[in-house]
Each structure stands twice: as C-alpha cells, then as structure tokens.
Amino acid sequence: MAVQVAVCGPRECTEEDRGNARELGRLLAERGAVVICGGYSGVMAAVAAGAREAGGTVVGVLSRDTKEGANPDLTVAIPTGVGEARNNIIVNSGDAVIVVGGSWGTLSELALAMRRGRVPVVQLGGWRILDERGRPVPGIRHAASPEEALELTGLWA
Amino acid sequence: MAVQVAVCGPRECTEEDRGNARELGRLLAERGAVVICGGYSGVMAAVAAGAREAGGTVVGVLSRDTKEGANPDLTVAIPTGVGEARNNIIVNSGDAVIVVGGSWGTLSELALAMRRGRVPVVQLGGWRILDERGRPVPGIRHAASPEEALELTGLWA
Amino acid sequence: MAVQVAVCGPRECTEEDRGNARELGRLLAERGAVVICGGYSGVMAAVAAGAREAGGTVVGVLSRDTKEGANPDLTVAIPTGVGEARNNIIVNSGDAVIVVGGSWGTLSELALAMRRGRVPVVQLGGWRILDERGRPVPGIRHAASPEEALELTGLWA
Amino acid sequence: MAVQVAVCGPRECTEEDRGNARELGRLLAERGAVVICGGYSGVMAAVAAGAREAGGTVVGVLSRDTKEGANPDLTVAIPTGVGEARNNIIVNSGDAVIVVGGSWGTLSELALAMRRGRVPVVQLGGWRILDERGRPVPGIRHAASPEEALELTGLWA
C-alpha cells in the first residue's frame, strides 16, 4: 500500500492557499503518495487538481451520502453520509496530516489530528492556537512552503 | 422536549475547570435543561455530577461501543462506537454549546460547533484562536463564570 | 444508570406493529427502562408515545443533524447527523434490542444487533431470515406479544 | 471518475464465496471499476486479491481507526474509526452493490443498500429474506455467477 497523506483546508480559501494546495498535490503525487481530502471545492479541489495533473491518486471523503458536489479531479469518491463526522475519517486516513489555510471546519480537522496523536501534523498558513496563558500550544509543525510541509511530515526523510 | 445544552471539556482538566463544570451542571439542571456531554472523566464527569446533584438529566455520548468507562452520574449512556466522530454528535445535540477548558479534543468540539453555526457557542476558560494576522477569530462568546456562560447562551433571556 | 432497551421498527408500519410498539413502550417505562429509538414516525413514534404515557424516558437517536421531524414524545433528541449510520448507535445503546415489524432499515438494525452479539435480540413480527439451505438463521428470540418480548430479553428474569 | 462497485461479504466465508469474490474482483478490475470493500479477510480479501491481480484499484473502508488488520491487496485504506457504522459508508460508495455470501454483518450491508434504494443491489449466494407471510421480499437481483452479477448491475448494459 502506498503512503497516504491527508490534506485539509477550507472551501473558501485565499489565492495563496489555493496555490499552496495545488503545489502540495503535485509534489505528493510525484512522490507516489495517495492524497486523501474532503472532495469538495477550495483547498480540497486545488490539492486534487494538483495531484491529478501529476498522475496521482486522490480520494475524496465526502460528507454527503452521494457524489453530488464532488470535484471532478477525484480518483475515488467516498460519500460517507456522516456529515462533518467525516472530518475524523479524513484525519484517520493519513500517515501524515497537512493543513492549509483556516476555517472552523479546517480547525476541527487540525484538532482531531492532534487529538489522535499518531502521525505528524503540519500546518501551512492558517490559524494559530494559544493556551490559557497566551502561549502557542505545542506539537504542530509549521511550514512556510509546500516543499517544507512535505519535509516536515518526515515521511521522506 | 426540554432545552438541551452540550457541555464539552477535557478528561484531564484543572481544578478550576472541574469546579466550573460542576457548577454549570447544577445551574443547567435547576433550569430544566438536559445536559449532553462526552460521558467520561474530567469536565465530563464534573458536569454530570453537578447536574445529577440537582436532579437533572444527563446524557453521555460515548466514543466506545459499550458503556465501559462511562461516569456513574449519567442518566443515559449512548455508546456510539464511532470514536471521536462522536464529538460531532455531541455538538449537534445542543441548543447551545458551552466549552470549559482546553485540549485538542475539546478544541475539535469548539470548532465543530462554530462550523455548524446554528446555535450559540460559549467558552469558559480554555484555548484561544487567532487568525492568520494574529487577531482573535470572531464568533465565540467568552464567559468569566458559569452564571455568565448560561446567560450568554441566550436560552433564558 | 437505568436499564436501556433499544426498540427498532419501520416508519411505515401496520396497525398491529403500532399497537405492539405502544404497548412495549408502556411496559418498558413501567419497569423503569429507558427506551432508545430512532425518533421519527411509525413504530418509533408509537413506542415513544407508549413510554411517555407511562412517565418514562425516551431517547430519539436521529439520522438528521437537527431535531426536524422528531416525534413530540421524545424526552431527549440526539440529532447525530450521521444518516443511517445512526442505526448502529441505536443498537449499541440497548442492554437488549427489540425489533417490531419489517423494513429494510429495520432489517439492518436487526442484523447489526446480531452482528454485535453482546445482548439479547428479540423480534416481534416482521421479516424472517433463511440461510443458503433455506433454514432459519439461529439466534433471534421470537416473541408473540409485547409481554413475551420483554420476558425474552431476560432483563427482568 | 471511474465506476465504483461495492462488494460485501463475510470474514468467515465458504470456499465457493471466496472463489466468487476473487473472480468478481478480477472482472470488475478488467472493466475499469474501482472496488470498494470492507478491507479485512474472507470475501473482502478475495475480492481485493482478484482486483489487484488484474491491475485494478481497491479501497478498503475499515471499521478500525488504524490500518491494523487490513488486507495487503488494498490500493487505499480508509480507517474510519466508526466501527460497524462503516458498513453504511461502503454501501453509499457503490454505483452498484454486490453481496457475496451470508453473515449478520453482510446482511446489514444488504439491508442498508436496499434501504438506500439508489443503486442496483445484486446477491450472489447467501441468505434469503422473507416477509411476514413467508414470501421473498422483492427488489434484490439474484445472480448465479460472478459474470451474471456484473450483468445484473446494469452498469455495462
């Protein structure tokens, strides 16, 4: 089985997020990793497009119970029908989790990945989390570029 | 059907969190609200104990598929067997969501509640979320006490 | 914590199923059991009405992510938002499972309860299951009345 | 996106089921269909092995939250962590559902597929379902061979 990397990010994202996600998809596909994503628009569509351009495999783990609204670059669509509970399935499916950009849904995936605690979690842009005393909560690996995000997963060290 | 309030918080919590959760449970029961929680230890056990002391109804939405490890103050246990995906079920079950203290699991519930966007979300202590530019992400109502948390839900205005 | 009994059955049911479900709800409430059901119409509504008449507690584990369409006799509604995957949650929540009447959704609950294999599964009316050679698949306890269904759970032996 | 076919069946199966599942996997892969299965042993392993031999893509939708126990012929593993609720996800993921052999878990998938009612459901061997009056419940398409099972999906008519 190939390495699998979950890439999470918002439907409504910045142009920078979109560019980063596309580049991430391309780099992951070039290294033979299967991309797992949420399967809809924004960062999810960009990472799928990037991976597909490079001939990779992309799985969309959808919240709905049909393929309606899924982006056209998916290799496989999994219409879970479990709503936002699918976020946990995306996170469980990665040998590493990379989060691009910020939204409440994306934050839930970041938090679920850290809660899981089994695999590296890398953040590229997006929101920051401070503890009660205003200090950054430790554990997340922060990348400044798609290349660095891949490096920080440790999967190709 | 009675009003339902979801109360989320970590297994490993501070003494202050525990006291706040117990007081919240008591106040919610006194107002006739059903308390929905995760059903295990820490904040979950404290809010259940508080509600039970005041004669209230407490539902524990468990991650496991049996009642194993459920706290003894629950009125009803729902062993979902869906793991951390149960966090979304807790959040969906509240006419308001109150979050006490901070942990990655708790942050996922806060984020899922804000993502849902249907009901008031109140935070009592715990972690803070900043956007890309370091500004607090708006939308969460911050309380300084259990009493204020209830007030900020707007359910008893 | 009180004993919990899951009662499953179709939305579109016969008058006999409806009568059996109402009587089951009443009997379960009289014995202090919490009733867990799917929370919508048909058998689900009848068992809830019966339990409520007798002063019992009824939890509706809903497929939708809001209370929309929930029957009015529920004590607590759990809008899981996980679609038909909620059938597994209903089944996991019972110290016994009683199935009234037949439909594909109801059959899935019967099968999941037997698959789980932890608690007694009682059938009152409904469909029959034969193996490859046309023999009844063993394991289900068949009742001819609501009273016998309760007896066959073994919870009040 | 390629056509996706969900193939369901028991962990503990007969040699005939195993042979049928392997042949089904091979035929589906030859036609370019992605196979969705439960990802463990028995029928799940056989259909994956058959698809892989023919160069196909196989997705295992696992009940556990890690890849532990997944069969080695999967192209992609989705460790949902939602337990048997994953059965509903498998069924939702098929443009057709083919059921090989009989078990309680398999019956739940057959029932959920019929409950869904959106796509053809084909049965190859396995259990039979009778209504209250002892008549076969209509709707399932019965095949006598893997070739006929594919034909009855109507996907290659």
mmCIF file of all heavy atoms in Angstrom, chain A residues 65, chain C residues 10-11 40 44 63-64 83-84 86-87 103-109 127, chain D residues 88 91-92 108-119 121:
data_model
loop_
_atom_site.group_PDB
_atom_site.id
_atom_site.type_symbol
_atom_site.label_atom_id
_atom_site.label_comp_id
_atom_site.label_asym_id
_atom_site.label_seq_id
_atom_site.Cartn_x
_atom_site.Cartn_y
_atom_site.Cartn_z
ATOM 1 N N ASP A 65 -24.138 11.822 1.296
ATOM 2 C CA ASP A 65 -24.305 10.394 1.011
ATOM 3 C C ASP A 65 -24.396 10.094 -0.499
ATOM 4 O O ASP A 65 -24.702 8.964 -0.882
ATOM 5 C CB ASP A 65 -25.494 9.812 1.770
ATOM 6 C CG ASP A 65 -26.812 10.424 1.361
ATOM 7 O OD1 ASP A 65 -26.822 11.320 0.497
ATOM 8 O OD2 ASP A 65 -27.855 10.006 1.899
ATOM 9 N N PRO C 10 -40.127 0.111 11.549
ATOM 10 C CA PRO C 10 -40.271 0.970 10.368
ATOM 11 C C PRO C 10 -41.101 2.234 10.599
ATOM 12 O O PRO C 10 -41.931 2.290 11.502
ATOM 13 C CB PRO C 10 -40.993 0.079 9.363
ATOM 14 C CG PRO C 10 -41.522 -1.076 10.104
ATOM 15 C CD PRO C 10 -40.848 -1.167 11.430
ATOM 16 N N ARG C 11 -40.857 3.210 9.748
ATOM 17 C CA ARG C 11 -41.695 4.416 9.694
ATOM 18 C C ARG C 11 -43.091 4.039 9.212
ATOM 19 O O ARG C 11 -44.080 4.472 9.780
ATOM 20 C CB ARG C 11 -41.121 5.431 8.703
ATOM 21 C CG ARG C 11 -39.795 5.991 9.117
ATOM 22 C CD ARG C 11 -39.342 7.053 8.106
ATOM 23 N NE ARG C 11 -37.940 7.336 8.311
ATOM 24 C CZ ARG C 11 -37.415 8.550 8.354
ATOM 25 N NH1 ARG C 11 -38.174 9.615 8.157
ATOM 26 N NH2 ARG C 11 -36.140 8.740 8.561
ATOM 27 N N TYR C 40 -38.374 9.024 14.841
ATOM 28 C CA TYR C 40 -39.280 9.601 13.849
ATOM 29 C C TYR C 40 -40.685 8.979 13.982
ATOM 30 O O TYR C 40 -41.178 8.833 15.092
ATOM 31 C CB TYR C 40 -38.680 9.446 12.449
ATOM 32 C CG TYR C 40 -37.400 10.243 12.266
ATOM 33 C CD1 TYR C 40 -36.175 9.606 12.017
ATOM 34 C CD2 TYR C 40 -37.401 11.639 12.365
ATOM 35 C CE1 TYR C 40 -35.008 10.347 11.861
ATOM 36 C CE2 TYR C 40 -36.226 12.372 12.209
ATOM 37 C CZ TYR C 40 -35.044 11.728 11.955
ATOM 38 O OH TYR C 40 -33.886 12.460 11.792
ATOM 39 N N MET C 44 -41.398 3.974 15.733
ATOM 40 C CA MET C 44 -40.595 4.862 16.583
ATOM 41 C C MET C 44 -41.484 5.809 17.380
ATOM 42 O O MET C 44 -41.277 6.027 18.577
ATOM 43 C CB MET C 44 -39.610 5.654 15.725
ATOM 44 C CG MET C 44 -38.642 4.779 14.943
ATOM 45 S SD MET C 44 -37.566 5.703 13.794
ATOM 46 C CE MET C 44 -38.519 5.594 12.256
ATOM 47 N N SER C 63 -31.275 10.445 12.543
ATOM 48 C CA SER C 63 -30.310 10.405 11.441
ATOM 49 C C SER C 63 -29.894 11.814 11.011
ATOM 50 O O SER C 63 -28.748 12.034 10.641
ATOM 51 C CB SER C 63 -30.905 9.658 10.244
ATOM 52 O OG SER C 63 -32.185 10.142 9.927
ATOM 53 N N ARG C 64 -30.801 12.765 11.099
ATOM 54 C CA ARG C 64 -30.506 14.136 10.661
ATOM 55 C C ARG C 64 -29.638 14.883 11.667
ATOM 56 O O ARG C 64 -29.464 14.442 12.794
ATOM 57 C CB ARG C 64 -31.821 14.901 10.476
ATOM 58 C CG ARG C 64 -32.654 14.339 9.346
ATOM 59 C CD ARG C 64 -33.910 15.162 9.163
ATOM 60 N NE ARG C 64 -34.784 14.523 8.200
ATOM 61 C CZ ARG C 64 -36.084 14.754 8.101
ATOM 62 N NH1 ARG C 64 -36.665 15.640 8.890
ATOM 63 N NH2 ARG C 64 -36.811 14.129 7.206
ATOM 64 N N GLY C 83 -26.688 10.104 9.341
ATOM 65 C CA GLY C 83 -27.545 9.348 8.428
ATOM 66 C C GLY C 83 -27.898 7.982 8.994
ATOM 67 O O GLY C 83 -28.065 7.826 10.208
ATOM 68 N N GLU C 84 -28.025 7.006 8.085
ATOM 69 C CA GLU C 84 -28.429 5.664 8.523
ATOM 70 C C GLU C 84 -27.366 4.986 9.388
ATOM 71 O O GLU C 84 -27.652 3.951 9.993
ATOM 72 C CB GLU C 84 -28.773 4.798 7.326
ATOM 73 C CG GLU C 84 -30.057 5.202 6.610
ATOM 74 C CD GLU C 84 -31.263 5.183 7.518
ATOM 75 O OE1 GLU C 84 -31.564 4.129 8.077
ATOM 76 O OE2 GLU C 84 -31.898 6.246 7.687
ATOM 77 N N ARG C 86 -26.661 5.931 12.021
ATOM 78 C CA ARG C 86 -27.205 6.035 13.369
ATOM 79 C C ARG C 86 -27.865 4.738 13.797
ATOM 80 O O ARG C 86 -28.044 4.509 15.000
ATOM 81 C CB ARG C 86 -28.158 7.218 13.489
ATOM 82 C CG ARG C 86 -29.505 7.083 12.808
ATOM 83 C CD ARG C 86 -30.525 6.336 13.646
ATOM 84 N NE ARG C 86 -31.844 6.845 13.578
ATOM 85 C CZ ARG C 86 -32.691 6.568 12.589
ATOM 86 N NH1 ARG C 86 -32.323 5.845 11.562
ATOM 87 N NH2 ARG C 86 -33.921 7.037 12.646
ATOM 88 N N ASN C 87 -28.220 3.871 12.876
ATOM 89 C CA ASN C 87 -28.816 2.582 13.253
ATOM 90 C C ASN C 87 -27.885 1.795 14.165
ATOM 91 O O ASN C 87 -28.328 1.137 15.110
ATOM 92 C CB ASN C 87 -29.127 1.750 11.997
ATOM 93 C CG ASN C 87 -30.211 2.374 11.148
ATOM 94 O OD1 ASN C 87 -30.705 3.462 11.453
ATOM 95 N ND2 ASN C 87 -30.583 1.709 10.056
ATOM 96 N N SER C 103 -38.859 -3.793 7.599
ATOM 97 C CA SER C 103 -38.499 -2.870 6.519
ATOM 98 C C SER C 103 -37.007 -3.057 6.330
ATOM 99 O O SER C 103 -36.342 -3.687 7.148
ATOM 100 C CB SER C 103 -38.797 -1.412 6.899
ATOM 101 O OG SER C 103 -37.881 -0.949 7.870
ATOM 102 N N TRP C 104 -36.463 -2.494 5.256
ATOM 103 C CA TRP C 104 -35.018 -2.653 5.031
ATOM 104 C C TRP C 104 -34.211 -1.988 6.135
ATOM 105 O O TRP C 104 -33.211 -2.536 6.602
ATOM 106 C CB TRP C 104 -34.629 -2.122 3.653
ATOM 107 C CG TRP C 104 -35.143 -2.961 2.533
ATOM 108 C CD1 TRP C 104 -36.058 -2.617 1.585
ATOM 109 C CD2 TRP C 104 -34.783 -4.329 2.239
ATOM 110 N NE1 TRP C 104 -36.289 -3.671 0.731
ATOM 111 C CE2 TRP C 104 -35.524 -4.732 1.101
ATOM 112 C CE3 TRP C 104 -33.915 -5.246 2.836
ATOM 113 C CZ2 TRP C 104 -35.410 -6.014 0.541
ATOM 114 C CZ3 TRP C 104 -33.799 -6.521 2.277
ATOM 115 C CH2 TRP C 104 -34.542 -6.893 1.145
ATOM 116 N N GLY C 105 -34.638 -0.809 6.568
ATOM 117 C CA GLY C 105 -33.918 -0.130 7.645
ATOM 118 C C GLY C 105 -33.978 -0.936 8.935
ATOM 119 O O GLY C 105 -32.985 -1.078 9.654
ATOM 120 N N THR C 106 -35.150 -1.473 9.216
ATOM 121 C CA THR C 106 -35.336 -2.283 10.415
ATOM 122 C C THR C 106 -34.495 -3.557 10.340
ATOM 123 O O THR C 106 -33.886 -3.979 11.338
ATOM 124 C CB THR C 106 -36.833 -2.643 10.552
ATOM 125 O OG1 THR C 106 -37.575 -1.419 10.578
ATOM 126 C CG2 THR C 106 -37.110 -3.443 11.805
ATOM 127 N N LEU C 107 -34.449 -4.165 9.163
ATOM 128 C CA LEU C 107 -33.633 -5.367 8.999
ATOM 129 C C LEU C 107 -32.155 -5.051 9.238
ATOM 130 O O LEU C 107 -31.425 -5.858 9.817
ATOM 131 C CB LEU C 107 -33.813 -5.943 7.590
ATOM 132 C CG LEU C 107 -33.034 -7.240 7.327
ATOM 133 C CD1 LEU C 107 -33.542 -8.381 8.197
ATOM 134 C CD2 LEU C 107 -33.109 -7.633 5.854
ATOM 135 N N SER C 108 -31.728 -3.862 8.815
ATOM 136 C CA SER C 108 -30.311 -3.505 9.047
ATOM 137 C C SER C 108 -30.039 -3.425 10.553
ATOM 138 O O SER C 108 -28.973 -3.824 11.025
ATOM 139 C CB SER C 108 -29.939 -2.191 8.349
ATOM 140 O OG SER C 108 -30.397 -1.059 9.059
ATOM 141 N N GLU C 109 -31.017 -2.933 11.313
ATOM 142 C CA GLU C 109 -30.829 -2.839 12.761
ATOM 143 C C GLU C 109 -30.805 -4.231 13.411
ATOM 144 O O GLU C 109 -30.010 -4.504 14.307
ATOM 145 C CB GLU C 109 -31.929 -1.959 13.367
ATOM 146 C CG GLU C 109 -31.739 -0.504 12.945
ATOM 147 C CD GLU C 109 -32.908 0.397 13.263
ATOM 148 O OE1 GLU C 109 -34.061 0.022 12.948
ATOM 149 O OE2 GLU C 109 -32.683 1.483 13.815
ATOM 150 N N TRP C 127 -39.896 -9.587 9.385
ATOM 151 C CA TRP C 127 -39.316 -10.443 8.371
ATOM 152 C C TRP C 127 -38.558 -11.623 8.979
ATOM 153 O O TRP C 127 -38.194 -11.616 10.150
ATOM 154 C CB TRP C 127 -38.391 -9.622 7.474
ATOM 155 C CG TRP C 127 -39.121 -8.536 6.724
ATOM 156 C CD1 TRP C 127 -40.465 -8.262 6.748
ATOM 157 C CD2 TRP C 127 -38.536 -7.563 5.852
ATOM 158 N NE1 TRP C 127 -40.755 -7.201 5.929
ATOM 159 C CE2 TRP C 127 -39.592 -6.747 5.360
ATOM 160 C CE3 TRP C 127 -37.243 -7.296 5.419
ATOM 161 C CZ2 TRP C 127 -39.373 -5.686 4.470
ATOM 162 C CZ3 TRP C 127 -37.022 -6.251 4.534
ATOM 163 C CH2 TRP C 127 -38.085 -5.460 4.069
ATOM 164 N N ASN D 88 -22.371 1.349 6.326
ATOM 165 C CA ASN D 88 -23.180 2.311 5.583
ATOM 166 C C ASN D 88 -22.332 3.107 4.594
ATOM 167 O O ASN D 88 -22.791 3.464 3.510
ATOM 168 C CB ASN D 88 -23.863 3.267 6.569
ATOM 169 C CG ASN D 88 -25.184 3.762 6.056
ATOM 170 O OD1 ASN D 88 -25.954 2.989 5.494
ATOM 171 N ND2 ASN D 88 -25.438 5.046 6.219
ATOM 172 N N VAL D 91 -21.629 0.944 1.480
ATOM 173 C CA VAL D 91 -22.833 0.863 0.657
ATOM 174 C C VAL D 91 -23.087 2.178 -0.092
ATOM 175 O O VAL D 91 -23.466 2.172 -1.263
ATOM 176 C CB VAL D 91 -24.017 0.472 1.573
ATOM 177 C CG1 VAL D 91 -25.329 0.901 0.984
ATOM 178 C CG2 VAL D 91 -23.977 -1.026 1.856
ATOM 179 N N ASN D 92 -22.840 3.301 0.590
ATOM 180 C CA ASN D 92 -23.030 4.612 -0.053
ATOM 181 C C ASN D 92 -22.023 4.853 -1.180
ATOM 182 O O ASN D 92 -22.235 5.725 -2.027
ATOM 183 C CB ASN D 92 -22.870 5.749 0.967
ATOM 184 C CG ASN D 92 -24.056 5.906 1.874
ATOM 185 O OD1 ASN D 92 -25.147 5.410 1.581
ATOM 186 N ND2 ASN D 92 -23.860 6.578 2.998
ATOM 187 N N SER D 108 -26.495 -6.830 7.159
ATOM 188 C CA SER D 108 -26.722 -5.405 7.457
ATOM 189 C C SER D 108 -26.376 -4.558 6.238
ATOM 190 O O SER D 108 -27.049 -3.561 5.949
ATOM 191 C CB SER D 108 -25.927 -4.964 8.694
ATOM 192 O OG SER D 108 -24.561 -4.738 8.387
ATOM 193 N N GLU D 109 -25.339 -4.946 5.509
ATOM 194 C CA GLU D 109 -24.954 -4.180 4.312
ATOM 195 C C GLU D 109 -25.995 -4.339 3.202
ATOM 196 O O GLU D 109 -26.349 -3.376 2.517
ATOM 197 C CB GLU D 109 -23.570 -4.625 3.844
ATOM 198 C CG GLU D 109 -22.498 -4.187 4.842
ATOM 199 C CD GLU D 109 -21.141 -4.804 4.609
ATOM 200 O OE1 GLU D 109 -21.076 -6.029 4.437
ATOM 201 O OE2 GLU D 109 -20.156 -4.052 4.605
ATOM 202 N N LEU D 110 -26.489 -5.554 3.037
ATOM 203 C CA LEU D 110 -27.551 -5.793 2.054
ATOM 204 C C LEU D 110 -28.782 -4.936 2.386
ATOM 205 O O LEU D 110 -29.360 -4.271 1.509
ATOM 206 C CB LEU D 110 -27.922 -7.284 2.083
ATOM 207 C CG LEU D 110 -28.996 -7.754 1.113
ATOM 208 C CD1 LEU D 110 -28.508 -7.673 -0.320
ATOM 209 C CD2 LEU D 110 -29.417 -9.196 1.433
ATOM 210 N N ALA D 111 -29.152 -4.948 3.651
ATOM 211 C CA ALA D 111 -30.340 -4.195 4.073
ATOM 212 C C ALA D 111 -30.129 -2.689 3.919
ATOM 213 O O ALA D 111 -31.028 -1.970 3.463
ATOM 214 C CB ALA D 111 -30.680 -4.548 5.526
ATOM 215 N N LEU D 112 -28.949 -2.208 4.278
ATOM 216 C CA LEU D 112 -28.670 -0.772 4.133
ATOM 217 C C LEU D 112 -28.663 -0.360 2.661
ATOM 218 O O LEU D 112 -29.120 0.731 2.311
ATOM 219 C CB LEU D 112 -27.322 -0.421 4.787
ATOM 220 C CG LEU D 112 -27.316 -0.451 6.317
ATOM 221 C CD1 LEU D 112 -25.885 -0.467 6.852
ATOM 222 C CD2 LEU D 112 -28.091 0.727 6.913
ATOM 223 N N ALA D 113 -28.162 -1.242 1.809
ATOM 224 C CA ALA D 113 -28.148 -0.941 0.371
ATOM 225 C C ALA D 113 -29.575 -0.872 -0.172
ATOM 226 O O ALA D 113 -29.909 0.018 -0.961
ATOM 227 C CB ALA D 113 -27.338 -1.991 -0.380
ATOM 228 N N MET D 114 -30.442 -1.801 0.262
ATOM 229 C CA MET D 114 -31.835 -1.775 -0.172
ATOM 230 C C MET D 114 -32.559 -0.574 0.430
ATOM 231 O O MET D 114 -33.380 0.063 -0.220
ATOM 232 C CB MET D 114 -32.528 -3.083 0.219
ATOM 233 C CG MET D 114 -32.038 -4.302 -0.553
ATOM 234 S SD MET D 114 -32.229 -4.152 -2.354
ATOM 235 C CE MET D 114 -34.018 -4.039 -2.488
ATOM 236 N N ARG D 115 -32.254 -0.257 1.682
ATOM 237 C CA ARG D 115 -32.834 0.913 2.341
ATOM 238 C C ARG D 115 -32.484 2.193 1.578
ATOM 239 O O ARG D 115 -33.319 3.060 1.380
ATOM 240 C CB ARG D 115 -32.305 0.991 3.776
ATOM 241 C CG ARG D 115 -32.508 2.321 4.505
ATOM 242 C CD ARG D 115 -33.945 2.509 4.904
ATOM 243 N NE ARG D 115 -34.162 3.706 5.688
ATOM 244 C CZ ARG D 115 -34.236 4.946 5.187
ATOM 245 N NH1 ARG D 115 -34.113 5.149 3.905
ATOM 246 N NH2 ARG D 115 -34.479 5.981 5.975
ATOM 247 N N ARG D 116 -31.240 2.264 1.144
ATOM 248 C CA ARG D 116 -30.782 3.429 0.391
ATOM 249 C C ARG D 116 -31.591 3.571 -0.897
ATOM 250 O O ARG D 116 -32.045 4.654 -1.243
ATOM 251 C CB ARG D 116 -29.293 3.252 0.082
ATOM 252 C CG ARG D 116 -28.638 4.460 -0.556
ATOM 253 C CD ARG D 116 -27.165 4.179 -0.839
ATOM 254 N NE ARG D 116 -26.523 5.290 -1.490
ATOM 255 C CZ ARG D 116 -25.663 5.183 -2.491
ATOM 256 N NH1 ARG D 116 -25.335 3.977 -2.948
ATOM 257 N NH2 ARG D 116 -25.123 6.238 -3.034
ATOM 258 N N GLY D 117 -31.719 2.454 -1.617
ATOM 259 C CA GLY D 117 -32.620 2.429 -2.765
ATOM 260 C C GLY D 117 -32.170 3.209 -3.977
ATOM 261 O O GLY D 117 -32.972 3.477 -4.878
ATOM 262 N N ARG D 118 -30.913 3.595 -4.059
ATOM 263 C CA ARG D 118 -30.477 4.427 -5.165
ATOM 264 C C ARG D 118 -29.831 3.638 -6.305
ATOM 265 O O ARG D 118 -29.763 4.117 -7.420
ATOM 266 C CB ARG D 118 -29.419 5.441 -4.684
ATOM 267 C CG ARG D 118 -29.970 6.529 -3.812
ATOM 268 C CD ARG D 118 -28.811 7.439 -3.384
ATOM 269 N NE ARG D 118 -29.270 8.467 -2.481
ATOM 270 C CZ ARG D 118 -29.758 9.640 -2.880
ATOM 271 N NH1 ARG D 118 -29.859 9.920 -4.164
ATOM 272 N NH2 ARG D 118 -30.159 10.525 -1.987
ATOM 273 N N VAL D 119 -29.265 2.488 -5.985
ATOM 274 C CA VAL D 119 -28.476 1.763 -6.985
ATOM 275 C C VAL D 119 -28.864 0.290 -6.973
ATOM 276 O O VAL D 119 -29.430 -0.208 -5.993
ATOM 277 C CB VAL D 119 -26.955 1.912 -6.699
ATOM 278 C CG1 VAL D 119 -26.545 3.369 -6.684
ATOM 279 C CG2 VAL D 119 -26.559 1.215 -5.412
ATOM 280 N N VAL D 121 -28.829 -3.616 -6.423
ATOM 281 C CA VAL D 121 -28.250 -4.475 -5.385
ATOM 282 C C VAL D 121 -28.353 -5.914 -5.882
ATOM 283 O O VAL D 121 -29.445 -6.399 -6.161
ATOM 284 C CB VAL D 121 -28.997 -4.323 -4.050
ATOM 285 C CG1 VAL D 121 -28.385 -5.236 -2.982
ATOM 286 C CG2 VAL D 121 -28.983 -2.863 -3.599
#
